[in-house]
Amino acid sequence: EQVRPKLDVYDVTALSRTGKGNRIVAAVRSGNGVGGLIVAVDFSPARQNIVVTDRDWKLFDEWSDRLLATDVEGLKRAPIRRLGRPPVGRWNYLEMRDRPLTVIATEIIEPVQTFSFQAPHREIRVYNGVAVASTVRDQAVAFDFGTLTGRGRIEIDAERDTLVRVRYANDRAELDSVGELHSFVFAKGERVVTDPLVREFRYMAVYLRSARASVLKVK
């Protein structure tokens, strides 16, 4: 069954201000370099699409935390490619789903211990037009936090485009089997990325030896 794209809906009433003191920043990540974005602001069921993404928006392919408050001088901008107004293509009458705002983190948890190991994962390669799946092992570092609930956090040293793959596990034996990998995508200039989802886990296996893992503990 084909998974239909969803339109995520956030209630930001408590964050908005009366007048022109509102700024909308949407951070988009893609593990394969492909993607698109649509944003619309509704005032009420009777007043929808008051603000929509169009050529008046600004697009940056570099990140700075200051973008949350203001435009940053010298930050590289990218051209906007307008695909058309929905419904069109994959954005044809999207199904809406209510999404919660980010859970407030209470503290940063450092790992109790770390260890290196050969981590298995699935790899698909194309030979003469035929896709072949195999299991390979790469060097990884496991970060042990003890069992907790929170949001995984990855920090890197190099300020460049980087994709870091992460495996969550609750038991050490799981690390020796093939499991789901999650991608942490870093924009140029970005050093820390936090998993948007709250998870319960013990281990984070990171497929990049120079990366460091921690956890934002939530209430």
Side-chain angles (χ1 to χ4, degrees), residues 31-95:
N32 59 13
V34 178
L37 171 71
I38 55 173
V39 176
V41 177
D42 299 342
F43 287 175
S44 68
R47 301 184 64 193
Q48 297 182 348
N49 297 335
I50 303 301
V51 177
V52 297
T53 42
D54 55 22
R55 294 188 184 278
D56 292 333
W57 285 58
K58 297 176 181 178
L59 178 63
F60 298 90
D61 57 8
E62 298 181 21
W63 176 256
S64 168
D65 291 341
R66 290 184 293 160
L67 281 173
L68 297 173
T70 184
D71 290 351
V72 180
E73 184 178 355
L75 204 63
K76 184 179 179 181
R77 291 179 58 180
I80 293 178
R81 297 175 176 85
R82 188 172 182 270
L83 301 180
R85 189 180 182 89
V88 61
R90 287 172 56 89
W91 300 333
N92 187 24
Y93 302 106
L94 298 178
E95 176 184 343

Short mmCIF file of all heavy atoms in Angstrom, two decimals, residues 31-95:
data_model
loop_
_atom_site.label_atom_id
_atom_site.label_comp_id
_atom_site.label_asym_id
_atom_site.label_seq_id
_atom_site.Cartn_x
_atom_site.Cartn_y
_atom_site.Cartn_z
N GLY A 31 17.54 13.22 3.61
CA GLY A 31 18.65 12.30 3.58
C GLY A 31 19.16 11.99 2.19
O GLY A 31 20.26 11.47 2.02
N ASN A 32 18.37 12.33 1.15
CA ASN A 32 18.80 12.06 -0.23
C ASN A 32 18.91 13.31 -1.08
O ASN A 32 19.08 13.22 -2.30
CB ASN A 32 17.84 11.06 -0.89
CG ASN A 32 16.41 11.56 -0.92
OD1 ASN A 32 16.14 12.73 -0.67
ND2 ASN A 32 15.47 10.67 -1.20
N GLY A 33 18.79 14.48 -0.47
CA GLY A 33 18.96 15.72 -1.21
C GLY A 33 17.76 16.17 -2.00
O GLY A 33 17.82 17.16 -2.74
N VAL A 34 16.64 15.46 -1.88
CA VAL A 34 15.45 15.79 -2.65
C VAL A 34 14.32 16.12 -1.70
O VAL A 34 14.16 15.48 -0.66
CB VAL A 34 15.05 14.60 -3.55
CG1 VAL A 34 13.77 14.92 -4.32
CG2 VAL A 34 16.17 14.24 -4.50
N GLY A 35 13.53 17.12 -2.04
CA GLY A 35 12.39 17.44 -1.19
C GLY A 35 11.75 18.76 -1.57
O GLY A 35 12.25 19.50 -2.41
N GLY A 36 10.63 19.03 -0.97
CA GLY A 36 9.91 20.28 -1.21
C GLY A 36 9.19 20.68 0.06
O GLY A 36 9.14 19.93 1.04
N LEU A 37 8.64 21.87 0.07
CA LEU A 37 8.00 22.39 1.28
C LEU A 37 6.81 23.26 0.91
O LEU A 37 6.89 24.07 -0.03
CB LEU A 37 9.00 23.22 2.09
CG LEU A 37 8.42 24.03 3.28
CD1 LEU A 37 8.02 23.09 4.40
CD2 LEU A 37 9.43 25.06 3.76
N ILE A 38 5.71 23.06 1.63
CA ILE A 38 4.59 24.01 1.56
C ILE A 38 4.22 24.39 2.99
O ILE A 38 4.22 23.55 3.89
CB ILE A 38 3.36 23.43 0.82
CG1 ILE A 38 2.92 22.10 1.46
CG2 ILE A 38 3.63 23.26 -0.65
CD1 ILE A 38 1.62 21.57 0.87
N VAL A 39 3.95 25.67 3.20
CA VAL A 39 3.53 26.18 4.50
C VAL A 39 2.35 27.10 4.29
O VAL A 39 2.33 27.90 3.34
CB VAL A 39 4.67 26.95 5.20
CG1 VAL A 39 4.18 27.55 6.51
CG2 VAL A 39 5.86 26.04 5.46
N ALA A 40 1.35 26.99 5.15
CA ALA A 40 0.21 27.89 5.10
C ALA A 40 -0.21 28.22 6.53
O ALA A 40 -0.07 27.39 7.43
CB ALA A 40 -0.96 27.26 4.35
N VAL A 41 -0.68 29.44 6.73
CA VAL A 41 -1.13 29.89 8.05
C VAL A 41 -2.62 30.17 7.98
O VAL A 41 -3.09 30.91 7.10
CB VAL A 41 -0.38 31.16 8.49
CG1 VAL A 41 -0.91 31.64 9.84
CG2 VAL A 41 1.12 30.89 8.57
N ASP A 42 -3.37 29.55 8.89
CA ASP A 42 -4.81 29.78 8.99
C ASP A 42 -5.10 30.58 10.26
O ASP A 42 -4.52 30.32 11.32
CB ASP A 42 -5.58 28.46 9.07
CG ASP A 42 -5.38 27.58 7.84
OD1 ASP A 42 -4.94 28.12 6.81
OD2 ASP A 42 -5.67 26.38 7.92
N PHE A 43 -5.99 31.55 10.14
CA PHE A 43 -6.43 32.30 11.31
C PHE A 43 -7.61 31.62 11.99
O PHE A 43 -7.78 31.70 13.20
CB PHE A 43 -6.80 33.73 10.93
CG PHE A 43 -5.61 34.60 10.62
CD1 PHE A 43 -5.78 35.89 10.16
CD2 PHE A 43 -4.32 34.13 10.79
CE1 PHE A 43 -4.70 36.71 9.88
CE2 PHE A 43 -3.22 34.93 10.51
CZ PHE A 43 -3.42 36.22 10.05
N SER A 44 -8.46 30.98 11.20
CA SER A 44 -9.65 30.30 11.68
C SER A 44 -10.15 29.40 10.56
O SER A 44 -9.68 29.51 9.42
CB SER A 44 -10.73 31.32 12.09
OG SER A 44 -11.23 31.99 10.93
N PRO A 45 -11.11 28.51 10.83
CA PRO A 45 -11.65 27.69 9.75
C PRO A 45 -12.21 28.52 8.59
O PRO A 45 -12.20 28.07 7.44
CB PRO A 45 -12.77 26.90 10.44
CG PRO A 45 -12.33 26.80 11.87
CD PRO A 45 -11.66 28.12 12.16
N ALA A 46 -12.65 29.73 8.88
CA ALA A 46 -13.20 30.58 7.83
C ALA A 46 -12.14 31.44 7.15
O ALA A 46 -12.39 32.03 6.10
CB ALA A 46 -14.29 31.48 8.40
N ARG A 47 -10.96 31.52 7.74
CA ARG A 47 -9.87 32.33 7.18
C ARG A 47 -8.62 31.47 7.05
O ARG A 47 -7.77 31.47 7.93
CB ARG A 47 -9.62 33.56 8.05
CG ARG A 47 -10.81 34.47 8.23
CD ARG A 47 -10.42 35.71 9.02
NE ARG A 47 -9.45 36.52 8.31
CZ ARG A 47 -8.75 37.52 8.86
NH1 ARG A 47 -8.91 37.78 10.15
NH2 ARG A 47 -7.89 38.21 8.14
N GLN A 48 -8.55 30.75 5.96
CA GLN A 48 -7.44 29.82 5.73
C GLN A 48 -6.49 30.35 4.67
O GLN A 48 -6.85 31.19 3.84
CB GLN A 48 -7.98 28.45 5.32
CG GLN A 48 -8.84 27.78 6.38
CD GLN A 48 -9.31 26.40 5.97
OE1 GLN A 48 -9.18 26.01 4.82
NE2 GLN A 48 -9.85 25.65 6.92
N ASN A 49 -5.24 29.84 4.72
CA ASN A 49 -4.21 30.21 3.75
C ASN A 49 -3.98 31.73 3.69
O ASN A 49 -3.81 32.30 2.62
CB ASN A 49 -4.57 29.69 2.35
CG ASN A 49 -4.64 28.18 2.30
OD1 ASN A 49 -3.99 27.50 3.10
ND2 ASN A 49 -5.41 27.65 1.38
N ILE A 50 -3.95 32.36 4.85
CA ILE A 50 -3.70 33.80 4.91
C ILE A 50 -2.25 34.09 4.51
O ILE A 50 -1.96 35.07 3.83
CB ILE A 50 -4.00 34.34 6.32
CG1 ILE A 50 -5.44 34.02 6.72
CG2 ILE A 50 -3.73 35.83 6.39
CD1 ILE A 50 -6.48 34.60 5.78
N VAL A 51 -1.35 33.23 4.96
CA VAL A 51 0.06 33.32 4.56
C VAL A 51 0.43 31.97 3.94
O VAL A 51 0.16 30.92 4.53
CB VAL A 51 0.97 33.60 5.77
CG1 VAL A 51 2.43 33.62 5.35
CG2 VAL A 51 0.59 34.92 6.43
N VAL A 52 1.04 32.00 2.76
CA VAL A 52 1.45 30.76 2.09
C VAL A 52 2.88 30.93 1.57
O VAL A 52 3.37 32.05 1.38
CB VAL A 52 0.52 30.41 0.91
CG1 VAL A 52 -0.89 30.14 1.41
CG2 VAL A 52 0.52 31.51 -0.13
N THR A 53 3.56 29.82 1.36
CA THR A 53 4.90 29.86 0.79
C THR A 53 4.82 30.27 -0.68
O THR A 53 4.08 29.68 -1.46
CB THR A 53 5.58 28.48 0.91
OG1 THR A 53 4.63 27.47 0.60
CG2 THR A 53 6.10 28.26 2.31
N ASP A 54 5.59 31.30 -1.02
CA ASP A 54 5.65 31.78 -2.40
C ASP A 54 7.03 32.39 -2.63
O ASP A 54 7.95 32.20 -1.82
CB ASP A 54 4.53 32.79 -2.69
CG ASP A 54 4.52 33.96 -1.72
OD1 ASP A 54 5.59 34.24 -1.10
OD2 ASP A 54 3.48 34.62 -1.56
N ARG A 55 7.21 33.14 -3.70
CA ARG A 55 8.52 33.71 -4.02
C ARG A 55 8.94 34.84 -3.08
O ARG A 55 10.07 35.31 -3.14
CB ARG A 55 8.52 34.19 -5.47
CG ARG A 55 8.39 33.05 -6.47
CD ARG A 55 8.60 33.54 -7.89
NE ARG A 55 8.39 32.50 -8.87
CZ ARG A 55 9.31 31.60 -9.20
NH1 ARG A 55 10.49 31.64 -8.63
NH2 ARG A 55 9.05 30.66 -10.09
N ASP A 56 8.04 35.29 -2.23
CA ASP A 56 8.41 36.33 -1.26
C ASP A 56 9.17 35.76 -0.07
O ASP A 56 9.76 36.51 0.70
CB ASP A 56 7.15 37.05 -0.77
CG ASP A 56 6.50 37.89 -1.87
OD1 ASP A 56 7.23 38.32 -2.78
OD2 ASP A 56 5.28 38.11 -1.81
N TRP A 57 9.18 34.45 0.09
CA TRP A 57 9.92 33.83 1.18
C TRP A 57 11.41 33.83 0.85
O TRP A 57 11.80 33.97 -0.31
CB TRP A 57 9.44 32.40 1.41
CG TRP A 57 8.10 32.32 2.11
CD1 TRP A 57 6.94 32.88 1.69
CD2 TRP A 57 7.82 31.65 3.32
NE1 TRP A 57 5.93 32.60 2.57
CE2 TRP A 57 6.43 31.85 3.59
CE3 TRP A 57 8.57 30.91 4.22
CZ2 TRP A 57 5.81 31.33 4.72
CZ3 TRP A 57 7.95 30.37 5.35
CH2 TRP A 57 6.59 30.59 5.59
N LYS A 58 12.23 33.67 1.86
CA LYS A 58 13.68 33.60 1.68
C LYS A 58 14.14 32.18 1.97
O LYS A 58 13.70 31.56 2.95
CB LYS A 58 14.40 34.58 2.60
CG LYS A 58 14.03 36.04 2.31
CD LYS A 58 14.69 36.97 3.30
CE LYS A 58 14.30 38.41 3.03
NZ LYS A 58 14.89 39.35 4.02
N LEU A 59 15.02 31.67 1.12
CA LEU A 59 15.52 30.31 1.25
C LEU A 59 17.03 30.33 1.47
O LEU A 59 17.77 30.96 0.69
CB LEU A 59 15.18 29.50 -0.01
CG LEU A 59 15.68 28.06 -0.06
CD1 LEU A 59 15.03 27.24 1.05
CD2 LEU A 59 15.37 27.45 -1.43
N PHE A 60 17.48 29.67 2.53
CA PHE A 60 18.91 29.61 2.85
C PHE A 60 19.34 28.15 2.83
O PHE A 60 18.63 27.28 3.35
CB PHE A 60 19.19 30.19 4.24
CG PHE A 60 18.83 31.65 4.37
CD1 PHE A 60 17.57 32.03 4.79
CD2 PHE A 60 19.76 32.64 4.08
CE1 PHE A 60 17.23 33.37 4.92
CE2 PHE A 60 19.43 33.98 4.21
CZ PHE A 60 18.17 34.35 4.62
N ASP A 61 20.51 27.88 2.24
CA ASP A 61 21.04 26.51 2.28
C ASP A 61 22.15 26.38 3.31
O ASP A 61 22.90 25.41 3.31
CB ASP A 61 21.51 26.04 0.90
CG ASP A 61 22.55 26.95 0.29
OD1 ASP A 61 23.03 27.86 1.00
OD2 ASP A 61 22.89 26.74 -0.89
N GLU A 62 22.27 27.37 4.19
CA GLU A 62 23.14 27.31 5.35
C GLU A 62 22.30 27.61 6.58
O GLU A 62 21.23 28.21 6.48
CB GLU A 62 24.29 28.32 5.25
CG GLU A 62 25.21 28.09 4.07
CD GLU A 62 26.34 29.10 4.04
OE1 GLU A 62 26.62 29.70 5.09
OE2 GLU A 62 26.93 29.30 2.96
N TRP A 63 22.77 27.17 7.74
CA TRP A 63 21.99 27.37 8.95
C TRP A 63 22.73 28.23 9.96
O TRP A 63 23.94 28.17 10.09
CB TRP A 63 21.66 26.03 9.61
CG TRP A 63 20.94 26.18 10.91
CD1 TRP A 63 21.46 26.02 12.18
CD2 TRP A 63 19.58 26.60 11.09
NE1 TRP A 63 20.49 26.30 13.13
CE2 TRP A 63 19.33 26.65 12.50
CE3 TRP A 63 18.54 26.93 10.22
CZ2 TRP A 63 18.10 27.01 13.02
CZ3 TRP A 63 17.31 27.29 10.74
CH2 TRP A 63 17.11 27.33 12.13
N SER A 64 21.94 29.04 10.67
CA SER A 64 22.42 29.79 11.82
C SER A 64 21.27 29.87 12.81
O SER A 64 20.12 30.10 12.41
CB SER A 64 22.87 31.20 11.42
OG SER A 64 23.08 32.01 12.58
N ASP A 65 21.56 29.68 14.10
CA ASP A 65 20.50 29.78 15.11
C ASP A 65 19.87 31.16 15.13
O ASP A 65 18.72 31.33 15.56
CB ASP A 65 21.07 29.46 16.49
CG ASP A 65 21.45 27.99 16.63
OD1 ASP A 65 20.96 27.17 15.84
OD2 ASP A 65 22.25 27.66 17.53
N ARG A 66 20.60 32.17 14.64
CA ARG A 66 20.06 33.54 14.64
C ARG A 66 18.93 33.72 13.64
O ARG A 66 18.19 34.71 13.71
CB ARG A 66 21.18 34.53 14.34
CG ARG A 66 22.21 34.67 15.49
CD ARG A 66 23.23 35.74 15.16
NE ARG A 66 24.07 35.32 14.04
CZ ARG A 66 24.77 36.16 13.29
NH1 ARG A 66 24.72 37.47 13.53
NH2 ARG A 66 25.53 35.71 12.31
N LEU A 67 18.77 32.76 12.71
CA LEU A 67 17.66 32.85 11.76
C LEU A 67 16.31 32.80 12.47
O LEU A 67 15.31 33.26 11.92
CB LEU A 67 17.75 31.70 10.75
CG LEU A 67 18.74 31.87 9.60
CD1 LEU A 67 18.82 30.59 8.78
CD2 LEU A 67 18.34 33.04 8.70
N LEU A 68 16.29 32.24 13.65
CA LEU A 68 15.03 32.18 14.39
C LEU A 68 14.54 33.57 14.79
O LEU A 68 13.35 33.76 15.07
CB LEU A 68 15.19 31.31 15.64
CG LEU A 68 15.54 29.84 15.38
CD1 LEU A 68 15.85 29.13 16.69
CD2 LEU A 68 14.40 29.16 14.64
N ALA A 69 15.46 34.54 14.82
CA ALA A 69 15.10 35.89 15.25
C ALA A 69 15.18 36.92 14.14
O ALA A 69 14.41 37.88 14.12
CB ALA A 69 15.98 36.32 16.42
N THR A 70 16.12 36.73 13.18
CA THR A 70 16.33 37.76 12.17
C THR A 70 17.08 37.18 10.98
O THR A 70 17.65 36.08 11.07
CB THR A 70 17.14 38.93 12.77
OG1 THR A 70 17.24 39.97 11.79
CG2 THR A 70 18.53 38.48 13.17
N ASP A 71 17.09 37.91 9.86
CA ASP A 71 17.93 37.52 8.73
C ASP A 71 19.40 37.74 9.12
O ASP A 71 19.73 38.69 9.84
CB ASP A 71 17.61 38.37 7.50
CG ASP A 71 16.24 38.01 6.93
OD1 ASP A 71 15.66 37.01 7.37
OD2 ASP A 71 15.77 38.75 6.03
N VAL A 72 20.27 36.87 8.66
CA VAL A 72 21.67 36.91 9.03
C VAL A 72 22.48 37.41 7.85
O VAL A 72 22.47 36.81 6.76
CB VAL A 72 22.18 35.52 9.47
CG1 VAL A 72 23.65 35.58 9.84
CG2 VAL A 72 21.33 35.00 10.63
N GLU A 73 23.18 38.52 8.05
CA GLU A 73 23.98 39.10 6.98
C GLU A 73 25.12 38.15 6.60
O GLU A 73 25.80 37.60 7.46
CB GLU A 73 24.56 40.44 7.44
CG GLU A 73 25.34 41.18 6.36
CD GLU A 73 25.85 42.53 6.81
OE1 GLU A 73 25.51 42.93 7.95
OE2 GLU A 73 26.60 43.17 6.05
N GLY A 74 25.30 37.96 5.30
CA GLY A 74 26.37 37.10 4.81
C GLY A 74 25.99 35.64 4.67
O GLY A 74 26.76 34.85 4.12
N LEU A 75 24.81 35.24 5.17
CA LEU A 75 24.38 33.86 5.05
C LEU A 75 23.92 33.60 3.61
O LEU A 75 23.15 34.37 3.04
CB LEU A 75 23.25 33.56 6.02
CG LEU A 75 23.07 32.09 6.43
CD1 LEU A 75 24.29 31.59 7.18
CD2 LEU A 75 21.83 31.94 7.30
N LYS A 76 24.40 32.52 3.03
CA LYS A 76 24.15 32.22 1.63
C LYS A 76 22.69 31.87 1.38
O LYS A 76 22.12 31.01 2.02
CB LYS A 76 25.04 31.07 1.16
CG LYS A 76 24.91 30.76 -0.32
CD LYS A 76 25.84 29.62 -0.70
CE LYS A 76 25.69 29.28 -2.19
NZ LYS A 76 26.58 28.13 -2.56
N ARG A 77 22.08 32.59 0.41
CA ARG A 77 20.70 32.31 0.03
C ARG A 77 20.68 31.45 -1.22
O ARG A 77 21.60 31.45 -2.03
CB ARG A 77 19.93 33.61 -0.20
CG ARG A 77 19.68 34.40 1.07
CD ARG A 77 18.94 35.68 0.78
NE ARG A 77 17.66 35.46 0.13
CZ ARG A 77 16.82 36.43 -0.22
NH1 ARG A 77 17.14 37.69 0.04
NH2 ARG A 77 15.68 36.15 -0.80
N ALA A 78 19.58 30.71 -1.39
CA ALA A 78 19.40 29.83 -2.54
C ALA A 78 18.18 30.29 -3.32
O ALA A 78 17.25 30.88 -2.76
CB ALA A 78 19.23 28.38 -2.08
N PRO A 79 18.15 30.03 -4.63
CA PRO A 79 16.98 30.43 -5.43
C PRO A 79 15.77 29.58 -5.09
O PRO A 79 15.89 28.39 -4.77
CB PRO A 79 17.44 30.18 -6.87
CG PRO A 79 18.51 29.14 -6.76
CD PRO A 79 19.21 29.40 -5.46
N ILE A 80 14.60 30.17 -5.14
CA ILE A 80 13.35 29.47 -4.88
C ILE A 80 12.80 28.92 -6.18
O ILE A 80 12.67 29.64 -7.16
CB ILE A 80 12.33 30.40 -4.21
CG1 ILE A 80 12.81 30.78 -2.80
CG2 ILE A 80 10.96 29.74 -4.14
CD1 ILE A 80 11.89 31.74 -2.09
N ARG A 81 12.47 27.66 -6.18
CA ARG A 81 11.86 27.02 -7.34
C ARG A 81 10.40 26.69 -7.01
O ARG A 81 10.13 25.80 -6.23
CB ARG A 81 12.63 25.76 -7.74
CG ARG A 81 14.06 26.03 -8.17
CD ARG A 81 14.83 24.74 -8.42
NE ARG A 81 16.16 25.00 -8.93
CZ ARG A 81 17.22 25.24 -8.18
NH1 ARG A 81 17.07 25.26 -6.86
NH2 ARG A 81 18.40 25.46 -8.70
N ARG A 82 9.51 27.44 -7.60
CA ARG A 82 8.09 27.28 -7.29
C ARG A 82 7.51 26.18 -8.17
O ARG A 82 7.55 26.26 -9.40
CB ARG A 82 7.35 28.60 -7.51
CG ARG A 82 5.92 28.59 -7.04
CD ARG A 82 5.33 30.01 -7.12
NE ARG A 82 3.97 30.07 -6.62
CZ ARG A 82 2.91 29.88 -7.37
NH1 ARG A 82 3.06 29.64 -8.67
NH2 ARG A 82 1.70 29.96 -6.86
N LEU A 83 6.95 25.15 -7.54
CA LEU A 83 6.40 24.01 -8.28
C LEU A 83 4.94 24.20 -8.65
O LEU A 83 4.43 23.50 -9.51
CB LEU A 83 6.55 22.73 -7.45
CG LEU A 83 7.98 22.36 -7.05
CD1 LEU A 83 7.97 21.08 -6.23
CD2 LEU A 83 8.85 22.19 -8.29
N GLY A 84 4.28 25.12 -8.00
CA GLY A 84 2.85 25.34 -8.28
C GLY A 84 2.05 25.32 -7.00
O GLY A 84 2.52 24.88 -5.95
N ARG A 85 0.85 25.79 -7.07
CA ARG A 85 -0.02 25.85 -5.90
C ARG A 85 -0.77 24.53 -5.75
O ARG A 85 -1.33 24.03 -6.72
CB ARG A 85 -1.01 27.00 -6.04
CG ARG A 85 -1.83 27.28 -4.78
CD ARG A 85 -2.79 28.43 -5.02
NE ARG A 85 -3.55 28.77 -3.82
CZ ARG A 85 -3.16 29.62 -2.90
NH1 ARG A 85 -2.00 30.26 -3.05
NH2 ARG A 85 -3.89 29.89 -1.83
N PRO A 86 -0.76 23.92 -4.56
CA PRO A 86 -1.51 22.68 -4.36
C PRO A 86 -3.00 22.91 -4.64
O PRO A 86 -3.48 24.03 -4.47
CB PRO A 86 -1.28 22.36 -2.89
CG PRO A 86 -0.04 23.12 -2.52
CD PRO A 86 -0.06 24.37 -3.35
N PRO A 87 -3.73 21.88 -5.06
CA PRO A 87 -3.30 20.49 -5.22
C PRO A 87 -2.55 20.27 -6.55
O PRO A 87 -3.01 20.69 -7.60
CB PRO A 87 -4.61 19.71 -5.20
CG PRO A 87 -5.62 20.68 -5.74
CD PRO A 87 -5.17 22.04 -5.27
N VAL A 88 -1.38 19.61 -6.45
CA VAL A 88 -0.59 19.29 -7.63
C VAL A 88 0.34 18.14 -7.29
O VAL A 88 0.90 18.09 -6.19
CB VAL A 88 0.21 20.52 -8.13
CG1 VAL A 88 1.18 20.99 -7.07
CG2 VAL A 88 0.95 20.21 -9.42
N GLY A 89 0.51 17.20 -8.19
CA GLY A 89 1.45 16.11 -8.01
C GLY A 89 1.22 15.35 -6.71
O GLY A 89 0.11 14.95 -6.39
N ARG A 90 2.31 15.15 -5.94
CA ARG A 90 2.22 14.43 -4.66
C ARG A 90 1.42 15.22 -3.63
O ARG A 90 0.96 14.65 -2.63
CB ARG A 90 3.62 14.15 -4.13
CG ARG A 90 4.37 13.09 -4.88
CD ARG A 90 5.82 13.03 -4.39
NE ARG A 90 5.90 12.81 -2.96
CZ ARG A 90 5.94 11.61 -2.38
NH1 ARG A 90 5.90 10.53 -3.12
NH2 ARG A 90 6.04 11.49 -1.08
N TRP A 91 1.26 16.51 -3.84
CA TRP A 91 0.51 17.34 -2.90
C TRP A 91 -0.92 17.51 -3.37
O TRP A 91 -1.47 18.60 -3.44
CB TRP A 91 1.19 18.70 -2.75
CG TRP A 91 2.58 18.60 -2.23
CD1 TRP A 91 3.09 17.61 -1.45
CD2 TRP A 91 3.66 19.49 -2.46
NE1 TRP A 91 4.41 17.83 -1.16
CE2 TRP A 91 4.79 18.99 -1.77
CE3 TRP A 91 3.80 20.68 -3.18
CZ2 TRP A 91 6.02 19.62 -1.78
CZ3 TRP A 91 5.03 21.31 -3.18
CH2 TRP A 91 6.12 20.80 -2.50
N ASN A 92 -1.53 16.41 -3.69
CA ASN A 92 -2.88 16.43 -4.24
C ASN A 92 -3.87 16.05 -3.13
O ASN A 92 -4.02 14.87 -2.80
CB ASN A 92 -2.98 15.45 -5.41
CG ASN A 92 -4.32 15.57 -6.11
OD1 ASN A 92 -4.97 16.61 -6.04
ND2 ASN A 92 -4.73 14.52 -6.76
N TYR A 93 -4.53 17.06 -2.55
CA TYR A 93 -5.52 16.84 -1.50
C TYR A 93 -4.92 16.02 -0.36
O TYR A 93 -5.28 14.87 -0.12
CB TYR A 93 -6.77 16.16 -2.07
CG TYR A 93 -7.40 16.95 -3.18
CD1 TYR A 93 -7.28 16.55 -4.49
CD2 TYR A 93 -8.10 18.13 -2.89
CE1 TYR A 93 -7.85 17.29 -5.52
CE2 TYR A 93 -8.67 18.88 -3.91
CZ TYR A 93 -8.54 18.46 -5.22
OH TYR A 93 -9.08 19.20 -6.23
N LEU A 94 -3.98 16.64 0.35
CA LEU A 94 -3.28 15.95 1.42
C LEU A 94 -4.18 15.69 2.62
O LEU A 94 -5.08 16.48 2.93
CB LEU A 94 -2.08 16.78 1.87
CG LEU A 94 -1.00 17.05 0.82
CD1 LEU A 94 0.09 17.92 1.40
CD2 LEU A 94 -0.43 15.76 0.28
N GLU A 95 -3.91 14.59 3.30
CA GLU A 95 -4.62 14.26 4.52
C GLU A 95 -3.98 15.01 5.69
O GLU A 95 -2.77 14.95 5.88
CB GLU A 95 -4.54 12.75 4.77
CG GLU A 95 -5.17 12.31 6.07
CD GLU A 95 -4.97 10.84 6.32
OE1 GLU A 95 -4.65 10.11 5.35
OE2 GLU A 95 -5.13 10.41 7.48
#
